[in-house]
Amino acid sequence: MSKQSKNHEDDFYEGEQISFDDYYLDDEDYYLDDDIEDEKEYEEKEKSVVKVDKNPKESGAEKKSTDQGQKELAAERDHIEKERKESDARQKKVDGKTQDLTKERKENQVKKPQDGSRESGKGYQASDGEDRSVKVRDQEDMKKESANKSGKKREDPGRTDSGPGKSGKPKSSSGKSDTQKSGTGKSGAQRNSAGKSTGSKSGPGKPGTRKTPARNGRTSGRKKQAGYTGLKVAAITFGVLLAACAAVYIGISTYFTSHFFMNTEINGQDFSRKTVEDVQQYLQEQVQDYKLTILEKDNKTDTINGEEISLRYEENKDIENVLKSQNALMWPKCFFVKNSSKATVEVSYDRDALENRIQGLESLKVEQVPPTSAYPKFDGTEFVVEPEVTGTEVDVDILREKIHQYISEFQPELDMQAENCYAMPKYTSESGEVRAACNEMNQYLQASITYTMDQPVVVDRTLISNWVSADNDMKVTFNEAAVREWLREFGKQYDTIGKTRSITSPYGKTVEVSGGTYGWSVDEDAEFTTLVNSIKNGEVVTKEPAYCDRAVSHSAPEWGNTYAEVDLSAQHMWYIVDGGIALETDVVTGVPIPEKETPSGVYSILEKELNSTLVGEIDPATGQPEYRTLVAYWMRVTWSGIGFHDANWQPAFGGSLYATGAGSHGCINMPVGQAASLYDMMPVGTPVIIHY
């Protein structure tokens, strides 16, 4: 109880409310304390008996009294043990009754609100119209009934116990006499008329207060109710916080219905948390003292002032539409996402004045150098991209457009290069067309053709790179005409027919000889087709070129060491085989006049024939051949009719007969026997060198 009072009703209604089980259990607690006091009284008696028994000088009467005391103590002990067992049984019943009353109390707490009563965290509280004294009497009746069932009689304020060794003295409300209480060191705390102590008990070795299980149960109930109350407080707190957050969120959303989000840019300018009026005011202010600085090449600059073109700001609905387009409820995203918008800024200006100012820019006064596109360039190994050159030519249309845009957005600087105001090349180093052209051209460079001349001639990437090119549209072309021209020059260098060559006669005479039909001659037409195909296919080959005419060797002498030599001055001939003279003889050659002389030069045996008729040229006067002559051995040197043959009509050979009327029409006349031997030894194709 929170306060002491003189009667049960005051104790019941003042301060802390006490339920039925509180009164009942406290009354039982009273009797349990009496049992403990009886046991302590027995122990004190036993100690006194033991003390007397140890005295050897005690008289027989005293000893008899001691024996009687021991019997009484034994009887008292048995009585205490019996009461202790009964107390345990009563405690079990009390526990059961406590549970029943606790259940009944809970049911009453549920039913009472229906009768108009209220519920508190400390127990049931009677309504104003209820007789509280009746409730108290009901509690006392329930206590008495419980005491009768347990076999003990309870009296208020005391009780009288009977039994072996008991004095039968009446006890106070605590179950003991005042003498016993003072002797055992009790604190003297008084119990109220219900038998419940209003103070704490004290004594040797005893704690001041002892709680019963019923009180612990009541404390547990209070804890549960306190936990429930805590949850209610937490729920209310959470609801308040949630409502506060919602109010803040709605307030911010309302704010952004008239203000731009954070991270909002309009035409490149930051207008975070600004209103439409703020933006329009900003734009109006920019008109005053506005100037546009134009950055040109070579660190040159130009400036266009707003006053020069009568610049004025014109309001429109674009800024307002930008604000309307933002969803105010979605404002949290503005902290993570940049909101960039474009608004048409209406300005008015003198277009003629602006055009005149543009034409006066320094970038338009300098020499306009057109740009150069990137292109494939041979670096000695392969084709690579040669970067573009922008030049200084200005794209006036783009410049005009950018100037208008920058003035509309009130931007301070215009970089002509960054905004591509200069004329741009068609292709840059990043253009895929240029790279594709390089790759295609490099395919031609894979070919390598080596010609086995006296010094090898190689057609490789260095030469081929001159024959492939890319036009302005990056279309790759292989220049076949250039290949043909190269072959023409190649033939001139390695063709030997008709060229001047030197020869040393067997007797040591060295002369220069030119003309003739013998030597090397490249077949340029045939070789052109072969070479082009090899390059396009990327072939790597070593070969001879195609020839129309061939010689024995590319090195001098190109006729080798087997040939026929005719010295017109000496009127003598030699047939050299493997460097040695196989046959020699004097001869008679043509009359030394242009029409009949034997031509000098390097030739070869074109054909051989036995018993051949030689026919001269047609005489214009008679219309008949100048001659028809049958010879036994004919070895042709030229297709015009010059050759070796026997001449049995000549009186002699050698000397100066050719110049004194015995000369031939150009053929080389030989004795019959020598002609026969030469015919047998000299095959077709043998080189023939004729010289003076």
Side-chain angles (χ1 to χ4, degrees):
M1 299 179 185
S2 59
K3 296 181 181 179
Q4 291 184 358
S5 61
K6 296 180 180 181
N7 56 63
H8 295 296
E9 291 184 359
D10 294 337
D11 195 24
F12 184 84
Y13 288 101
E14 291 188 14
E16 182 178 5
Q17 177 180 327
I18 296 179
S19 61
F20 297 154
D21 56 339
D22 288 332
Y23 280 97
Y24 181 79
L25 293 177
D26 285 345
D27 202 21
E28 291 298 329
D29 186 32
Y30 162 77
Y31 286 107
L32 292 176
D33 288 340
D34 287 344
D35 294 338
I36 294 172
E37 293 296 337
D38 291 341
E39 186 175 359
K40 291 183 67 178
E41 185 178 339
Y42 163 77
E43 290 176 355
E44 289 174 359
K45 289 180 180 181
E46 187 176 26
K47 288 179 181 179
S48 64
V49 172
V50 173
K51 184 177 181 181
V52 174
D53 189 44
K54 290 181 180 179
N55 188 356
K57 295 180 181 182
E58 64 181 349
S59 62
E62 291 175 345
K63 186 175 182 181
K64 182 177 180 180
S65 176
T66 300
D67 293 338
Q68 182 66 28
Q70 288 179 348
K71 291 179 180 180
E72 291 178 357
L73 286 174
E76 184 72 18
R77 176 177 292 176
D78 293 340
H79 176 71
I80 291 172
E81 288 296 329
K82 181 178 179 182
E83 287 188 345
R84 180 178 296 169
K85 291 179 181 180
E86 291 176 351
S87 176
D88 291 340
R90 290 197 305 274
Q91 183 63 41
K92 290 181 181 180
K93 293 181 179 180
V94 168
D95 291 342
K97 187 63 176 180
T98 298
Q99 294 177 0
D100 293 340
L101 292 175
T102 300
K103 183 176 180 181
E104 182 178 353
R105 181 184 61 186
K106 290 181 179 180
E107 291 175 353
N108 290 335
Q109 289 176 348
V110 174
K111 294 177 180 180
K112 288 298 180 180
Q114 298 177 358
D115 299 331
S117 63
R118 291 181 298 172
E119 191 177 3
S120 71
K122 295 183 179 180
Y124 170 73
Q125 209 159 17
S127 61
D128 294 337
E130 188 176 2
D131 188 358
R132 298 187 181 183
S133 62
V134 175
K135 298 295 181 180
V136 173
R137 286 196 299 270
D138 290 343
Q139 291 179 357
E140 291 177 351
D141 293 340
M142 291 176 68
K143 290 179 184 177
K144 291 178 180 180
E145 182 182 354
S146 177
N148 292 333
K149 290 181 180 180
S150 62
K152 288 180 65 81
K153 294 181 180 179
R154 301 193 180 192
E155 296 179 2
D156 191 9
R159 68 170 179 169
T160 302
D161 293 336
S162 62
K166 290 286 181 175
S167 61
K169 293 180 180 181
K171 292 186 178 182
S172 66
S173 60
S174 62
K176 290 193 177 184
S177 66
D178 294 336
T179 304
Q180 289 174 332
K181 288 182 180 180
S182 61
T184 57
K186 289 281 184 177
S187 64
Q190 299 297 320
R191 292 179 179 268
N192 57 24
S193 59
K196 185 175 181 181
S197 174
T198 60
S200 60
K201 297 178 183 179
S202 64
K206 286 186 65 178
T209 305
R210 183 166 62 88
K211 295 183 178 180
T212 63
R215 291 176 182 263
N216 292 336
R218 184 179 63 184
T219 303
S220 176
R222 290 176 181 174
K223 289 182 180 179
K224 290 181 180 180
Q225 291 185 4
Y228 175 74
T229 304
L231 289 176
K232 289 179 63 178
V233 171
I236 293 172
T237 303
F238 177 76
V240 171
L241 291 176
L242 185 61
C245 291
V248 172
Y249 188 92
I250 294 173
I252 296 175
S253 300
T254 303
Y255 174 82
F256 281 119
T257 59
S258 58
H259 294 75
F260 291 104
F261 282 157
M262 301 293 295
N263 294 322
T264 296
E265 287 187 357
I266 301 176
N267 293 349
Q269 182 67 34
D270 185 14
F271 288 110
S272 299
R273 297 182 291 108
K274 301 295 183 181
T275 64
V276 172
E277 292 74 16
D278 292 336
V279 178
Q280 290 178 343
Q281 181 179 358
Y282 168 82
L283 296 177
Q284 289 174 353
E285 293 173 353
Q286 296 306 302
V287 175
Q288 300 175 358
D289 300 328
Y290 173 77
K291 66 178 180 180
L292 175 64
T293 301
I294 301 175
L295 306 179
E296 304 170 356
K297 283 189 174 182
D298 301 326
N299 296 323
K300 295 180 180 179
T301 60
D302 259 317
T303 302
I304 298 177
N305 293 316
E307 295 178 353
E308 295 177 328
I309 59 175
S310 303
L311 183 66
R312 295 184 302 277
Y313 172 69
E314 302 290 341
E315 292 186 5
N316 60 21
K317 294 293 185 181
D318 277 15
I319 304 300
E320 185 177 347
N321 291 335
V322 172
L323 179 63
K324 290 180 179 179
S325 66
Q326 72 179 24
N327 187 350
L329 292 175
M330 301 300 291
W331 61 265
K333 73 175 184 180
C334 71
F335 294 98
F336 309 99
V337 179
K338 187 175 182 180
N339 182 25
S340 181
S341 301
K342 287 290 183 181
T344 302
V345 179
E346 297 292 343
V347 294
S348 62
Y349 56 86
D350 189 334
R351 292 186 176 274
D352 293 335
L354 178 59
E355 184 62 28
N356 292 334
R357 189 67 190 86
I358 292 174
Q359 294 300 327
L361 296 175
E362 290 295 326
S363 59
L364 295 178
K365 292 180 180 180
V366 299
E367 182 184 0
Q368 302 292 293
V369 178
T372 302
S373 289
Y375 65 94
K377 181 180 179 181
F378 184 68
D379 65 355
T381 303
E382 62 180 355
F383 283 98
V384 295
V385 177
E386 179 69 11
E388 70 281 0
V389 178
T390 57
T392 60
E393 184 179 358
V394 177
D395 190 326
V396 181
D397 292 335
I398 294 179
L399 177 61
R400 185 181 294 109
E401 177 186 349
K402 291 299 179 181
I403 289 176
H404 174 77
Q405 175 187 338
Y406 274 56
I407 291 175
S408 299
E409 297 175 358
F410 300 110
Q411 297 190 37
E413 287 185 349
L414 168 59
D415 188 337
M416 291 181 61
Q417 286 185 281
E419 292 291 356
N420 298 324
C421 293
Y422 289 96
M424 296 300 294
K426 184 176 182 179
Y427 298 107
T428 67
S429 56
E430 301 299 324
S431 298
E433 294 87 345
V434 182
R435 297 184 179 277
C438 286
N439 294 336
E440 183 177 353
M441 295 170 76
N442 286 330
Q443 292 298 320
Y444 289 98
L445 303 186
Q446 304 304 313
S448 179
I449 297 92
T450 302
Y451 291 109
T452 56
M453 315 306 288
D454 52 348
Q455 293 293 327
V457 176
V458 181
V459 177
D460 59 5
R461 61 184 60 221
T462 302
L463 181 58
I464 298 172
S465 65
N466 299 315
W467 300 341
V468 289
S469 61
D471 60 15
N472 292 333
D473 295 326
M474 292 298 123
K475 182 179 180 181
V476 176
T477 302
F478 181 69
N479 192 350
E480 295 184 1
V483 179
R484 188 176 291 278
E485 182 62 27
W486 180 85
L487 280 172
R488 187 175 293 111
E489 294 299 323
F490 177 76
K492 286 181 181 180
Q493 180 179 355
Y494 291 100
D495 286 354
T496 59
I497 294 176
K499 289 184 177 181
T500 300
R501 287 154 282 187
S502 64
I503 184 170
T504 299
S505 296
Y507 58 89
K509 176 184 176 181
T510 300
V511 296
E512 297 292 329
V513 60
S514 62
T517 59
Y518 181 84
W520 295 103
S521 177
V522 176
D523 188 344
E524 296 174 7
D525 292 337
E527 188 56 32
F528 168 78
T529 302
T530 303
L531 179 59
V532 168
N533 289 336
S534 295
I535 293 173
K536 289 183 176 180
N537 295 329
E539 296 178 356
V540 178
V541 295
T542 299
K543 55 174 286 188
E544 282 190 336
Y547 288 107
C548 297
D549 294 289
R550 304 174 65 91
V552 173
S553 174
H554 287 289
S555 59
E558 62 183 9
W559 46 77
N561 57 6
T562 298
Y563 55 90
E565 180 182 355
V566 177
D567 187 343
L568 297 177
S569 299
Q571 290 290 292
H572 195 82
M573 66 86 59
W574 297 268
Y575 178 54
I576 307 300
V577 177
D578 295 331
I581 299 173
L583 182 149
E584 64 175 319
T585 182
D586 289 334
V587 294
V588 173
T589 62
V591 178
I593 61 176
E595 295 83 6
K596 295 184 178 181
E597 69 177 344
T598 302
S600 62
V602 181
Y603 302 91
S604 64
I605 301 301
L606 299 177
E607 66 177 2
K608 294 194 307 181
E609 187 177 20
L610 296 174
N611 300 317
S612 179
T613 299
L614 305 179
V615 179
E617 300 221 1
I618 301 298
D619 184 357
T622 62
Q624 295 295 319
E626 292 181 352
Y627 61 87
R628 287 180 180 273
T629 304
L630 178 64
V631 297
Y633 306 100
W634 168 246
M635 291 161 279
R636 184 186 290 275
V637 175
T638 70
W639 294 110
S640 63
I642 305 300
F644 294 94
H645 62 83
D646 57 300
N648 55 6
W649 59 86
Q650 291 287 359
F653 294 93
S656 60
L657 292 175
Y658 77 103
T660 58
S664 69
H665 289 270
C667 287
I668 303 161
N669 294 169
M670 298 177 64
V672 175
Q674 296 292 359
S677 297
L678 183 62
Y679 185 91
D680 291 337
M681 293 189 318
M682 186 173 64
V684 173
T686 300
V688 177
I689 301 95
I690 302 173
H691 62 85
Y692 285 95

